Structure formats: structure tokens, C-alpha cells
Amino acid sequence: MDKQTNLENAQARIAEASDQAVLADLERELLGRDGLLGQQLKEIPSLPPPERGPAGRAANELKAALTAGLLARAAELAETDLAADREGIGFDATLPAPPVERGSLHPITKVTRKLVQIFSSMGYHILDGPEVELDWYNFEALNIPADHPARDSQDTFYCDEQGRLVLRTHTSPVQVRAMERMAPPFRLVCPGKVFRHENTDATHEHTFHQMEGLVVGKDISVGHLVGTMKTLLRGIFGKEIDVRLRPGHFPFVEPGFELDARCVFCESGCRVCKGTCWIELLPCGLVHPKVLEAAGIDSSEWSGFAFGLGLSRLAMLSHGIDDVRHLLGGDLRFLEQFSC
Amino acid sequence: MLISMRWLGRHVDLSGVDPEQLALDLTLSTAEVEGVERFAPYLSDVVVGHVLEREKHPDADKLCICKLDVGTGESLQIVCGAPNVAAGQRVAVATVGTVLPGDFKIKKSKIRGVHSVGMICSERELGLSDEHDGIWVLPGEPTTGAPVAEALGIDDWVLEIDNKSLTHRPDLWGHRGVAREVAAILDRPLLPLDTSLPELGGADPVKVLVESPACSRYIGLSIDGVGEGKTPDWMRCMLLATGQRPIDLLVDLSNFVMGDLGQPNHTFDRDQLARDGILVREAREGETLVTLDEVERKLRPADLLICSGDKAVALAGIMGGQDSKVQQGTGRLLLEVACFEPVPVRRTSARLGLRTDSSARFEKHLDPTLPLKAAGHFARLLQEFQPDVTFPASLADAGDWSDPACEVALNPDQVRRSLGVGISDEEMSALLSSIDFGVQANEKGLMVSVPSNRATKDIAIEMDLIEEVGRLYRYGNIPERHLTGALVPPPVDHRRELAESCRDLLAGGARFHETLSYSFQSDALHQMLGLDGESYVSVINPVQEGSARIRRQVLPSLLGLLEPNRRQRDEVRLFEIGKGYLPEQVSDRGEPGEVHELALVLCKARQSDTSFDEGCLARLMAVVQDLLSSLEFRELQFVAVEQAPVSWVHPVRRVELRVGSGDGACVGFVAELDPGLATPLGIDGELVSDTAVASISLDALLEQERSGGSYNPLPRYPGFKIDVAIVAPEEVPARDLSGVIEKAGKGNAKDLVVFDLFRGDQLGAGRRSLAYHLVLQSDKKTLTDKDAQSFLRRLERGLGEIGAELRS
């Protein structure tokens, strides 16, 4: 066979190579020691000297021709592979892999974080306080003297017969502890667990979470309280929420209010707002002068407002949770529904 | 508390007032109205019928056939069983289609062969009383065919006020008090009410001796010539509307006066009273009294009694005694109207579990000037219904009381500052005057006279008056304002920050679920875990028997969650960050020690062939390792120690967690549960599981330094990966093997990771193989094959020294 035929045969085989592996084998065969090129090169030393030059050149030409053919076919095959890949055969968009396992944060944590973020941005201190609390902080210093109905053992868990130690019934004692340590003016919130002596059902729980807020400064007014609460609600619900204040009595504030927010779930009455379009959201008021004085703050110079947010209630409202017992029940089927 | 609008209408003109609007007004200015309902709506559905004729039923002795005119132009035939029905009466007729209380719908029927189209109603059938001996014969001559409610003028709306919003307002426990607020809100006058005593006779009053300061005032009014009589329908309907069942004239009148003025009162049969009269004293040890509800009450010395002579006849301010109950037909009465101190009444009623309309009012601290008005009101109403009654004796009025009315100075500037609104002096004076406060301007501002009805436990200081102005001005009219002032960043709370980071890392990276649990732990759990001997903060009034203890440690709270969750899931990954209380670490002031803990559980259905890195304990250790290194704690070690961290973990498969240089400080532990707990915890049988637990003290962690995450320069020379497998006796810990590898690497063996653990006959008994990935890399030069060879030689030598070898 002449060299030309050999080359044509080789080019034909290259063109027929069906995939990259076949092409790689062919490359080894053609360009290798025993291949077409190798044989030509091997013949060169045995040629008479004048023919060696032309034979060498011919071999180089052959090598160049084969290499070019191989590269071209490789490019063609690569193109074909890509095209095949792009056909995406066998893809089923409705066939997912097993789900990625996830973790979750408790809804109370989530709502607390949201509020803490809002209040931190307004310069509030975030404080913590004990769940097992002295009677002084939980009641006495908050203008709830002995024999006040709020102290009934129907409402309060007592830790000793003398009534010196209780499970705190609200997060308000933290504000007293704070006032003792801090010099006004200040702004603070204290989230935490609280306890009421109560039998549990879908809407009652003896252990729940609250967040107390306190601002003490010069000439703090009801207007400031309203403004703060509206800012808070904008932060929680992401839109303008109407609020209304109505009289409410709590011994540690004077005047005291209940703050209702316009129901965010309906226009004309629903289950959540019991058909009233208003949701009772938080008790609040101007700090009673006796409470300021009990904490060593001169009530003729300083005034303030306080509010108590029900974290459990807010968590239930924002996620539509219908049974308060889920919150502390530790059921994964419940917990898993919250992201982190 | 239930408020009848018709009743309110006796005190203030309510014409044109919408019940819903009134409810809203009261809610915004006074107290929360929780509901508005039409009183007895069926009274608007039944109509006045005129009985035209009555004849006996031919086939039934006790039935009769009545023909009635109900204003439709044709007569209705109704079969009736009542003995008292007679021609000429006006009666309440439920026509076909009417629905009566109890969802009872009137239909056409045939009674013993006679057609009947409707029903003539008894009082009981209309929910008005228990009266069912006969039909209700309507008083007067109401318009035939008109709805009964309208024809009798008993059409009414009832407002339900939240009692909790009235705790500081004794004046609102009667309709007149609420009417005063309504008058102020509507800007209409409060109608006058004559509560002066009628003419009294000159006989000596019943003797009254008050021995206890718990009774500040006791009024006794003698009444003679009380005959039998029926309570007028309007009063019975008002009582019904406010939830009081009408009983008889005297009881109804007593309840009406209480509902009207808020002042409880009581009547005694004067003929049954001892010659010595009334004694108000504290009970004696062991004394008992059978109250009107026929329960024998065991009394204590703090309980206040009303006695006839020395014999107890009533539990003061709470309930009368069974023996002194006034019988129908008692002609000679003593009306008691008294003022009892709130605290003793509340204590006694709470202890006996006996809360009454009377005790609820006394608990609020009633106005001591009120008894006299109530006595006059009672007497005048009784006289109106029974003109023959007389009041033979002068009034007995005992007790040591004083008028609580007071004056409080009000600085108008302070009102404006506190409310944040520019309300004028005149406006505030007008608002205060509208609720009967007296206002006088002086050089310092305003001097406000607080009437006695608002001066007990209510208005005492300037802020109280500011509240009055604010609520009547309406808080809704106060504009929103924003806080101003110096903005100083609050100090960092390191514990909160650490806890929040743990939450993010565990829920995010480690895919654990956060839970929050009760602070109570049950005695049963403590017994199961052998924690019964510890001391606990306990509540003395637990909601549930055996759940009085407050936890010392968070982790046990998670154990009870394993079984129910394993029923639903093959794997349970939970964590909680919470507090524990240690009574032995008590502060000077009596506060128990508080600890802050991160607790974790990982519980997974047991599998027969778990690879070494899928075991719960190893996985939880890896989670804790990752958590603490992500938090940049340095030199983390898991150490097997002799001393068990808690009694209820596996005796061997447990490690202490140490942080810091040298031996490190113990910050917690990771362990498997003791296998003996599987059955008591319910994770056995089909739920058989492997369970690992961890407890980390946030308090201990906070004492440790964190590295702050300093940067390491990127490697300048390439490294290469090699795998080595080492066969070693079981008792050689992996830490020793990795130590040998690191030593052989001379600082160049990096990123050491175990990827396989293997045991098998070919290794020989008591031996195991551990396979490692590692990277050889130097920061001084490019390592070569030669360096790798010498590393392996050093490794082989090092392993030989501890009885291990490279696996070929």
C-alpha cells in the first residue's frame, strides 16, 4: 500500500471514531511507535542518506496531517457529547431526591429575635432576669402589696410558705432590678419565661413567655407610648397597624391601658379577633410613681412608660397556632414547621 | 358583670343610643365591654294574646280549648293544659314557627283529636322564672298582637363588662355608677335618685354591737308590715337580664338594690333575732355555720360573723346562714346594710371557695357612705310596692368609719406633659366635673374634690386624676410621638450572644430542632433517673401532684420527649437552652443559684450495621465539636473520666467536654443514655433506639477565652493527599494513633480524618483497623515522594512502639 492510501485509510478511521475513547486508542495506534508514523520513522535510518531528508519531511507532514485530523474529530465528538448532554434525557422535574434534613428554631425564639432587633435598633437594652423571683421584685416593688388579689395562690406559684420566693408571674420584676442598677434615662426590654397557676387547655397555659419593656426619661408621655407601640407593630407586621388605647388597670402603672391592634387577619371580624376587629395585644401604661420610688428613682424628676408583650401570644398570632400547649410540648411535628 | 340598658335608663336618658356604640364608648373610656346581647330575644317573638273563650276538652279532663285573638283578625285555637287560663286574660302566645328557649319550635298539632295552632306560655317556658304551675298572665291590658317585650316595656339589651377591668372601680359594681360614666360620655344629666330614708318611728333600734374593725359600718333598719307580694315584672326582667333569677319580693328587692347601687344588703326575720340584737364578731376556733347553700362551713378566727346575740347567723359580706333565712310571710324584718373590709372578706371567701355577688363587691373596697343610701333606696322601693310597710324604729348605725372623700391637687402642666397633648385647664375641669368631681382653680393649679364613691382604693394621687382626664378625653385623641434623646449603644450581653450563636449553629448547621420545655420536672422522672436525692426549688401549690420541682438541669426535660417523638420519627434531634435552679447556692437575699445550660439529645432507631461515624454518640460528639469550634473555643478535648458526670448515663460510653489549654476546664459532657433507661423511657421494643445526650454549661463556656478567629496564610507549596490504614490493639485509643501520625509528620501531616473502622478475623482477635485521610504539606518547600517515604518509615517505627502497624 502506498503512503497516500495509508494516510487516507487513517483519516477515514479517524472520521469514523465513535467516541473519545476510540479516538484515544486510534491516536495511540497511529502516532505510536508501531503505528503508521512510527513505521515511517523507523524506515528513515535505513534509507540512503539523500532520501533521509525528504522521508523525514514526509513523516512530519504525515504527523501534522494525522494530528490535525485527530483534533478535528475530537472537537466534533466533544460537540456531539455536549449536544447529547443538553438533550437532558431522563430528566424528571417531579422526581426529587430525598429531602435535605433540616433544623428549626422555636417560634418563641423567632418572635423574640424579631422584637429584640426592633428594640435594639431603637437603643433599648436587652435584659434577662431570674424565673424564680423574690416576692419583693415580683409584687411589692411593683405596687402589688400583700393581700392584693393578684397574689392569690390561684394565680401565683409560691416556692415557700412564707411567700418570699415565687415563680415570676410576669417579666416586670426585671424592670425593677434594672432600675436599681441603672441611672435614668434608659430604655430596656426583658424577654423571658413566666408562670401563672392555671390549668392548661387550648388557650390557657401555666408557663408562657413575655417581654417587658420600660422607658424612663424626662417628660415621657402617653403620646410616646403610642408612638413606640405603633413603631413596634410596623416592625412586627411589616405594615401600618391601627392601634387603640383603652383604660386598663395594673397596679404598677398609672394611668394604665390595654392596647388593642386592628386585626391583621380580617376586615370585618374573624375567629382570631372574636368578631371585634381588634386584638387585645398588650397591657401598658405610665410607670406608677410608687414603682419609680421603690427602685430609688425620683418620680418628680423622671417619668416613664412600661408595656408587657405576650411573646407566646404573638408567636401564636403570627403563625396561626391554635393551641398554646404546642409551644412547650416538644412535638417534632410541630417544631419542624418552623425554619431557622 | 351584666348591665341592662333598660336599667341604666332609670338613671340616664338613653333614647336614641345604639347598644353597640354605647359598648364601644364604655370600652374606650371606662371599662371593657366584652359582649352586647339582646335580652331574652324570644320575648320579642311571642305575642300578646287575648283569651276570648275557654271550654273543656271533650276527651281530656285536664285540657281545655281556648280561642284567642292575637291581633291577626281571626281567632286562634290552642289546646292548653294550664289550670289558671281563663277568658278575658292577656297571655303570651307562641304562634306556629316561633322558637322558644331550648330550641323548642312550635308546630301545628292535634291534641286528643283537637287541632292546636300555638302555645300559651308559662314563665318557665319563656325562661323568666321557674314558675310552671300555670300560664303567665300578663299584667295590665297590653296591646293584643304586639310582641310581649315591647307591649310590657321589657325590651332590653345587656352589656357584659369584663370584671377584671373593674377591680379598681368599686363604684362600677352597680348600674348607677355605670350610668354616671354613661352620662359623662353622652353629655347627658345623671337623673336624680331619692335615697333618703322614709319617715322612721320612734321605737328603739335593734341593738348592734361591732366588735371587729373588719366591719367599718353596720346599719340596721327595722321594717314592719311586710306582706306577701309579687315582684313587679319590670324589676324581675331587669334582674333576669343581669343574670339574677327572681325569687320573691324581698330577695329580688335586695338584689335589685345591690345591682342598682353596688351595695350588698341582707334581711333578717326580726322575730328570730335574739333580744341582745346583732353582734359583729370574729369566729371562734372550731365554730361552724350552715350557709344558705346548705353547706356546713368550718370557720377560723379571722372569719367575720354576724350574730344574733352570740349565735352566728351570717358570714359577713359573703352569705347568710340557713337558719335565719327569711320565710315568705315574715312580717317584721331587719335590713342589714354594712361595710366590710376587703381583705378579710377576700381571705374568707377564697379559703372557703365561696365567692358571691356580695363578696365580689366588698373585695373592691366599697364606699362607707353607701350603706345609708342603700337602706333609703330599699325602704323607698319597698314602700312603693307595699304602701302599708312601716319603719317603727330609729336607725341602728354602728361602726368606726370616716368619709373617704378627699382633695387632690392637680397641676394642669403635668397633665399635658404626661398625656402628651395640649388640653386646656378648662377642658380638664369640665371632664372631671362630668363625673361629679369638684374642681377649684387656685394659684398652684387645680384642687380636685374626689367624691367618696371614687376615693376608696381608687383616686389618691395626681396621676390617678391624670388617668381620669386622659380616659374621658379619650386616649385615641392623643397624637403619636417619638422618643428623643442621646443614643448610647447598649452593652453587649455575652450570654445572650452565646446562646443565640448556639441556636443558629445547631438549628442551621447541625439541623437540630429547638424546643422549649416546662421548668417543672416530675418526681417520677427524678426517681427514674435516680435524682430523687437532690435538693430542689419546689412550688408549694403545684398544678399537678408530683410536679412541684423546678429543674436543676435542663437535659432531663428532653428525655420525656423521646418516646412520643420516636413514635413519629426515626430520628429525634432536639436541643434546648434554658435555666436551672440550685437551692443550695442561695444568695444573701434568698435567691437560689441560677445556671444556664444547653442540652441536646440525638436518638435514632437502632440499626444492626451502623458504621462507626453513624453511631449517635460519635455524631453528637461531632456536633458538639463543630459547635464549639465554630464558636472559636480553643483546644477542645473529649476526655473519658472515672467520675460519671450524672448518674443516669452509660457507665463507659461517656466523655467529659473540656475547653482550654492544659487539662482544660470541664464545660459539660456527651454520653449515651444508660441502657437500663430504655424501658422506663419507653424507647424499647419497636422503638428500640440509640440515644446520646449532651449538656453544656453556658456559664462555664463564658469563662473560657475564644480565639477571635485569626487568619492563617494560604499554603505556598502544594501538598499531596495520602491514605494510611493502621492496625492496632483495641485498647490503643485513636488519640494515640493520631498522635503518632502527627509526630511522624513533623508538623507537615495535616487535615487528619478517620474514614473507616474495621474489625475482622484477618486482623486477629483484639485488634482493629483505622483508616485515615491526610495531607502532607510543608510551608517551607514542595514535598516530594522521598519525603512521603520517610514519613511512612517514621510512622511505621512510631506505630511499632505502641504495638500497632501499618496495614498493607
Side-chain angles (χ1 to χ4, degrees), chain A residues 27-55:
Chain A
E27 181 177 350
R28 262 191 303 282
E29 183 192 323
L30 297 174
L31 301 183
R33 204 170 291 191
D34 299 322
L36 195 55
L37 185 65
Q39 278 169 11
Q40 280 198 21
L41 290 171
K42 268 187 224 160
E43 286 168 7
I44 292 175
S46 59
L47 291 175
E51 293 179 24
R52 287 180 195 167

Short mmCIF file of all heavy atoms in Angstrom, two decimals, chain A residues 27-55:
data_model
loop_
_atom_site.label_atom_id
_atom_site.label_comp_id
_atom_site.label_asym_id
_atom_site.label_seq_id
_atom_site.Cartn_x
_atom_site.Cartn_y
_atom_site.Cartn_z
N GLU A 27 -5.40 7.30 18.30
CA GLU A 27 -4.27 8.22 18.38
C GLU A 27 -3.01 7.47 18.77
O GLU A 27 -1.95 7.65 18.17
CB GLU A 27 -4.56 9.33 19.41
CG GLU A 27 -3.42 10.33 19.52
CD GLU A 27 -3.72 11.47 20.47
OE1 GLU A 27 -4.89 11.60 20.91
OE2 GLU A 27 -2.79 12.21 20.79
N ARG A 28 -3.16 6.58 19.79
CA ARG A 28 -2.00 5.78 20.21
C ARG A 28 -1.53 4.90 19.05
O ARG A 28 -0.34 4.82 18.78
CB ARG A 28 -2.38 4.90 21.40
CG ARG A 28 -1.96 5.50 22.74
CD ARG A 28 -2.11 4.48 23.88
NE ARG A 28 -3.46 3.96 24.01
CZ ARG A 28 -4.46 4.63 24.58
NH1 ARG A 28 -4.26 5.83 25.08
NH2 ARG A 28 -5.67 4.09 24.65
N GLU A 29 -2.48 4.31 18.34
CA GLU A 29 -2.11 3.40 17.25
C GLU A 29 -1.39 4.15 16.12
O GLU A 29 -0.36 3.73 15.65
CB GLU A 29 -3.37 2.72 16.73
CG GLU A 29 -3.08 1.68 15.65
CD GLU A 29 -4.37 1.23 14.96
OE1 GLU A 29 -5.42 1.11 15.63
OE2 GLU A 29 -4.31 1.01 13.73
N LEU A 30 -1.95 5.28 15.75
CA LEU A 30 -1.41 5.99 14.58
C LEU A 30 -0.11 6.72 14.90
O LEU A 30 0.83 6.69 14.10
CB LEU A 30 -2.44 6.99 14.05
CG LEU A 30 -3.74 6.37 13.53
CD1 LEU A 30 -4.74 7.47 13.17
CD2 LEU A 30 -3.46 5.49 12.31
N LEU A 31 -0.07 7.35 16.01
CA LEU A 31 1.10 8.16 16.33
C LEU A 31 2.15 7.40 17.14
O LEU A 31 3.23 7.88 17.38
CB LEU A 31 0.69 9.44 17.08
CG LEU A 31 -0.29 10.35 16.34
CD1 LEU A 31 -0.55 11.61 17.16
CD2 LEU A 31 0.23 10.71 14.96
N GLY A 32 1.80 6.19 17.60
CA GLY A 32 2.71 5.43 18.46
C GLY A 32 3.87 4.82 17.69
O GLY A 32 3.98 4.95 16.46
N ARG A 33 4.70 4.13 18.47
CA ARG A 33 5.93 3.57 17.94
C ARG A 33 5.67 2.57 16.80
O ARG A 33 6.39 2.53 15.82
CB ARG A 33 6.69 2.87 19.07
CG ARG A 33 8.17 2.74 18.85
CD ARG A 33 8.85 2.27 20.10
NE ARG A 33 8.81 3.30 21.14
CZ ARG A 33 9.52 3.20 22.25
NH1 ARG A 33 10.25 2.15 22.50
NH2 ARG A 33 9.47 4.16 23.13
N ASP A 34 4.59 1.77 17.00
CA ASP A 34 4.32 0.75 16.00
C ASP A 34 3.26 1.20 14.99
O ASP A 34 2.83 0.43 14.14
CB ASP A 34 3.85 -0.55 16.68
CG ASP A 34 4.92 -1.09 17.59
OD1 ASP A 34 6.10 -0.98 17.20
OD2 ASP A 34 4.57 -1.56 18.70
N GLY A 35 2.85 2.39 15.06
CA GLY A 35 1.80 2.87 14.18
C GLY A 35 2.34 3.33 12.84
O GLY A 35 3.54 3.16 12.51
N LEU A 36 1.44 3.93 12.13
CA LEU A 36 1.76 4.38 10.78
C LEU A 36 2.97 5.32 10.78
O LEU A 36 3.93 5.12 10.02
CB LEU A 36 0.52 5.12 10.25
CG LEU A 36 0.45 5.39 8.76
CD1 LEU A 36 0.61 4.08 7.96
CD2 LEU A 36 -0.87 6.05 8.41
N LEU A 37 2.95 6.25 11.66
CA LEU A 37 4.04 7.22 11.72
C LEU A 37 5.33 6.55 12.18
O LEU A 37 6.39 6.77 11.61
CB LEU A 37 3.64 8.36 12.67
CG LEU A 37 4.63 9.51 12.76
CD1 LEU A 37 4.73 10.24 11.41
CD2 LEU A 37 4.22 10.49 13.86
N GLY A 38 5.18 5.71 13.19
CA GLY A 38 6.35 5.03 13.76
C GLY A 38 7.08 4.22 12.69
O GLY A 38 8.31 4.27 12.61
N GLN A 39 6.29 3.53 11.85
CA GLN A 39 6.93 2.72 10.81
C GLN A 39 7.71 3.61 9.85
O GLN A 39 8.86 3.32 9.49
CB GLN A 39 5.86 1.94 10.05
CG GLN A 39 5.48 0.68 10.79
CD GLN A 39 4.22 0.02 10.21
OE1 GLN A 39 3.75 0.40 9.14
NE2 GLN A 39 3.73 -0.96 10.94
N GLN A 40 7.10 4.70 9.47
CA GLN A 40 7.80 5.62 8.57
C GLN A 40 9.09 6.11 9.19
O GLN A 40 10.13 6.19 8.52
CB GLN A 40 6.91 6.82 8.23
CG GLN A 40 5.89 6.48 7.15
CD GLN A 40 5.30 7.72 6.50
OE1 GLN A 40 5.89 8.79 6.56
NE2 GLN A 40 4.18 7.53 5.82
N LEU A 41 9.02 6.46 10.48
CA LEU A 41 10.21 6.99 11.14
C LEU A 41 11.30 5.90 11.24
O LEU A 41 12.49 6.18 11.08
CB LEU A 41 9.86 7.52 12.54
CG LEU A 41 9.01 8.80 12.56
CD1 LEU A 41 8.55 9.10 13.97
CD2 LEU A 41 9.80 9.98 11.99
N LYS A 42 10.81 4.67 11.55
CA LYS A 42 11.76 3.57 11.68
C LYS A 42 12.53 3.33 10.36
O LYS A 42 13.70 2.99 10.38
CB LYS A 42 11.03 2.26 12.07
CG LYS A 42 10.93 2.03 13.54
CD LYS A 42 10.33 0.63 13.78
CE LYS A 42 9.30 0.72 14.88
NZ LYS A 42 8.38 -0.42 14.83
N GLU A 43 11.82 3.55 9.25
CA GLU A 43 12.48 3.28 7.95
C GLU A 43 13.58 4.29 7.65
O GLU A 43 14.52 3.99 6.93
CB GLU A 43 11.44 3.36 6.82
CG GLU A 43 10.50 2.16 6.78
CD GLU A 43 9.31 2.38 5.86
OE1 GLU A 43 9.29 3.41 5.15
OE2 GLU A 43 8.41 1.52 5.84
N ILE A 44 13.52 5.46 8.18
CA ILE A 44 14.41 6.55 7.79
C ILE A 44 15.90 6.20 7.93
O ILE A 44 16.66 6.37 6.95
CB ILE A 44 14.07 7.84 8.56
CG1 ILE A 44 12.70 8.32 8.08
CG2 ILE A 44 15.13 8.94 8.32
CD1 ILE A 44 12.14 9.52 8.82
N PRO A 45 16.36 5.61 9.08
CA PRO A 45 17.81 5.37 9.18
C PRO A 45 18.33 4.39 8.11
O PRO A 45 19.50 4.47 7.70
CB PRO A 45 17.95 4.73 10.57
CG PRO A 45 16.70 5.14 11.31
CD PRO A 45 15.64 5.25 10.28
N SER A 46 17.42 3.52 7.64
CA SER A 46 17.90 2.54 6.67
C SER A 46 17.91 3.09 5.24
O SER A 46 18.38 2.46 4.30
CB SER A 46 17.02 1.27 6.75
OG SER A 46 15.68 1.62 6.48
N LEU A 47 17.44 4.25 5.04
CA LEU A 47 17.40 4.85 3.70
C LEU A 47 18.76 5.42 3.35
O LEU A 47 19.54 5.80 4.22
CB LEU A 47 16.36 5.98 3.66
CG LEU A 47 14.90 5.55 3.78
CD1 LEU A 47 14.01 6.79 3.85
CD2 LEU A 47 14.50 4.69 2.59
N PRO A 48 19.03 5.45 2.08
CA PRO A 48 20.26 6.13 1.68
C PRO A 48 20.18 7.59 2.11
O PRO A 48 19.08 8.17 2.11
CB PRO A 48 20.26 6.00 0.14
CG PRO A 48 18.92 5.48 -0.25
CD PRO A 48 18.26 4.92 0.94
N PRO A 49 21.35 8.15 2.49
CA PRO A 49 21.38 9.50 3.07
C PRO A 49 20.61 10.52 2.25
O PRO A 49 19.87 11.30 2.86
CB PRO A 49 22.87 9.82 3.16
CG PRO A 49 23.51 8.50 3.24
CD PRO A 49 22.70 7.51 2.48
N PRO A 50 20.68 10.54 0.95
CA PRO A 50 19.97 11.62 0.25
C PRO A 50 18.45 11.51 0.43
O PRO A 50 17.74 12.51 0.39
CB PRO A 50 20.34 11.43 -1.22
CG PRO A 50 21.39 10.39 -1.27
CD PRO A 50 21.43 9.64 0.00
N GLU A 51 17.94 10.32 0.69
CA GLU A 51 16.48 10.19 0.81
C GLU A 51 15.99 10.48 2.21
O GLU A 51 14.79 10.62 2.46
CB GLU A 51 16.05 8.76 0.42
CG GLU A 51 16.27 8.44 -1.04
CD GLU A 51 15.86 7.01 -1.41
OE1 GLU A 51 15.00 6.42 -0.67
OE2 GLU A 51 16.42 6.47 -2.38
N ARG A 52 16.95 10.49 3.11
CA ARG A 52 16.52 10.64 4.52
C ARG A 52 15.80 11.97 4.76
O ARG A 52 14.79 12.01 5.45
CB ARG A 52 17.71 10.52 5.47
CG ARG A 52 18.21 9.10 5.57
CD ARG A 52 19.39 9.02 6.52
NE ARG A 52 20.09 7.75 6.34
CZ ARG A 52 21.28 7.49 6.83
NH1 ARG A 52 21.93 8.40 7.53
NH2 ARG A 52 21.83 6.30 6.61
N GLY A 53 16.40 13.03 4.12
CA GLY A 53 15.78 14.38 4.33
C GLY A 53 14.34 14.38 3.88
O GLY A 53 13.44 14.67 4.66
N PRO A 54 14.06 14.04 2.62
CA PRO A 54 12.68 14.05 2.15
C PRO A 54 11.79 13.12 2.97
O PRO A 54 10.66 13.48 3.29
CB PRO A 54 12.81 13.56 0.70
CG PRO A 54 14.20 13.84 0.29
CD PRO A 54 15.06 13.76 1.53
N ALA A 55 12.32 11.93 3.35
CA ALA A 55 11.50 11.00 4.14
C ALA A 55 11.13 11.62 5.47
O ALA A 55 9.99 11.50 5.95
CB ALA A 55 12.26 9.69 4.35
#
